[in-house]
Amino acid sequence: MIIQLSFSYLQCYLLLLVTQVTLNSEFLPQFEDPDTETVTVTEGDTAVITCKIGYLNNQSVSWIRRSDSHILAVDKEIFISDDRFMSTIQELSNIWMLKIRYVSAQDAGAYECQVSTVPKMTKIFNLNVIIPKVDILGGPNLYIQTGSFLQLECMISHVMSAPQFVMWEHGGRVVPGKTVNIQTKHDIVTKSVLTIDQVTADSAGMYSCMPDNISPATLIINIVNKTEEQLAVINSGIFYQSDMFLLLSIYFLLSILYDI
């Protein structure tokens, strides 16, 4: 009888032990997707790196920049003097987020989401920063005669999404251009055209093409008169309005379409 009771107690103990081990193994912290992820963002925007972790008990979560092994944050506490970095937690959704405001090309690289288990659990995120390209065709200097018809063309490429608007600035005056978006094989190209029906002396100076949240491009217009001396200068290598703008525009689009 005593032997039977002892055997029953032993069975119960073993069952509890197995159950505890099973529960511990099943409910250890785990990443929703353990594979390396790539986060792509446009320069100047806010990069948001999202790490989703299930079954996290009392463990802490750290964000580490792999290029210099700098601990950026532990849970919500920041350990870098750069105030562009923020760490937020959505506990009900098991989401830990690292945010980098006004992201630059120097921020690109690998970041770790690390859980303080033994041994530590790590998930890698590769941050890719796209640098937009803004060009005014014919720049940086343009020589043109008074009385001419002029169209300035601004091309915006290497962006994740087309700009919401494109403005032109000259002499403190800001005006919108005529803007169209062109979907190419690898990119979205935005073309904004500023039209000057008749060039006058007041048309001279710097023009800025300003897409929203992207660094502007500039061009300087110089006014020339129809004299033999000035035309000789133009013919020697300085172009004004003519078919040159059309050729530049065609070449720009072809270079994007066919990776010239």
Side-chain angles (χ1 to χ4, degrees):
M1 183 69 177
I2 296 176
I3 296 175
Q4 289 179 338
L5 287 175
S6 299
F7 183 73
S8 297
Y9 282 128
L10 179 61
Q11 282 183 316
C12 291
Y13 176 77
L14 290 174
L15 180 62
L16 288 173
L17 184 62
V18 169
T19 302
Q20 183 177 5
V21 170
T22 303
L23 288 174
N24 286 339
S25 61
E26 287 182 354
F27 294 98
L28 284 173
Q30 58 183 331
F31 297 109
E32 184 180 78
D33 182 2
D35 296 333
T36 299
E37 290 187 28
T38 298
V39 177
T40 303
V41 64
T42 302
E43 184 181 41
D45 288 347
T46 298
V48 180
I49 305 176
T50 302
C51 188
K52 192 165 185 178
I53 310 165
Y55 306 117
L56 191 66
N57 297 313
N58 296 321
Q59 291 90 354
S60 60
V61 176
S62 302
W63 288 100
I64 300 170
R65 184 170 57 198
R66 298 199 81 186
S67 61
D68 57 1
S69 300
H70 191 116
I71 299 176
L72 303 172
V74 176
D75 293 332
K76 292 183 179 181
E77 191 170 357
I78 300 296
F79 291 95
I80 186 171
S81 59
D82 190 338
D83 61 4
R84 297 179 305 124
F85 288 81
M86 300 172 57
S87 179
T88 60
I89 303 173
Q90 297 178 4
E91 294 184 1
L92 294 179
S93 302
N94 297 324
I95 292 176
W96 276 252
M97 289 186 292
L98 177 68
K99 298 181 181 180
I100 310 173
R101 298 181 299 167
Y102 312 113
V103 69
S104 68
Q106 288 73 29
D107 296 316
Y111 293 80
E112 290 185 21
C113 173
Q114 188 182 93
V115 181
S116 62
T117 52
V118 180
K120 289 181 170 58
M121 296 171 49
T122 296
K123 178 178 171 65
I124 306 299
F125 294 86
N126 290 318
L127 179 61
N128 182 29
V129 180
I130 296 177
I131 303 175
K133 186 177 180 181
V134 184
D135 288 313
I136 303 177
L137 303 185
N141 289 283
L142 180 65
Y143 290 78
I144 187 166
Q145 298 172 356
T146 55
S148 299
F149 172 82
L150 175 63
Q151 283 189 329
L152 296 178
E153 295 186 4
C154 180
M155 310 295 286
I156 301 107
S157 60
H158 298 179
V159 294
M160 293 182 60
S161 59
Q164 297 182 18
F165 58 85
V166 181
M167 305 298 291
W168 289 83
E169 190 273 334
H170 171 248
R173 182 168 173 257
V174 178
V175 295
K178 184 178 180 181
T179 302
V180 295
N181 295 318
I182 305 166
Q183 180 67 59
T184 68
K185 184 178 180 180
H186 304 291
D187 199 3
I188 299 175
V189 178
T190 299
K191 175 181 175 181
S192 181
V193 178
L194 178 67
T195 300
I196 302 175
D197 293 327
Q198 188 172 21
V199 173
T200 66
D202 293 334
S203 304
M206 179 178 290
Y207 287 74
S208 297
C209 170
M210 303 183 298
D212 66 297
N213 204 29
I214 302 176
S215 299
T218 59
L219 173 143
I220 297 176
I221 289 182
N222 301 277
I223 306 299
V224 297
N225 297 315
K226 296 180 180 179
T227 66
E228 292 183 2
E229 179 180 353
Q230 289 163 330
L231 287 177
V233 172
I234 294 171
N235 291 332
S236 68
I238 301 174
F239 298 94
Y240 54 94
Q241 174 84 15
S242 66
D243 293 337
M244 176 56 68
F245 278 113
L246 179 60
L247 292 174
L248 286 171
S249 182
I250 292 173
Y251 177 79
F252 186 90
L253 290 175
L254 287 175
S255 66
I256 295 173
L257 287 169
Y258 300 104
D259 295 326
I260 296 177

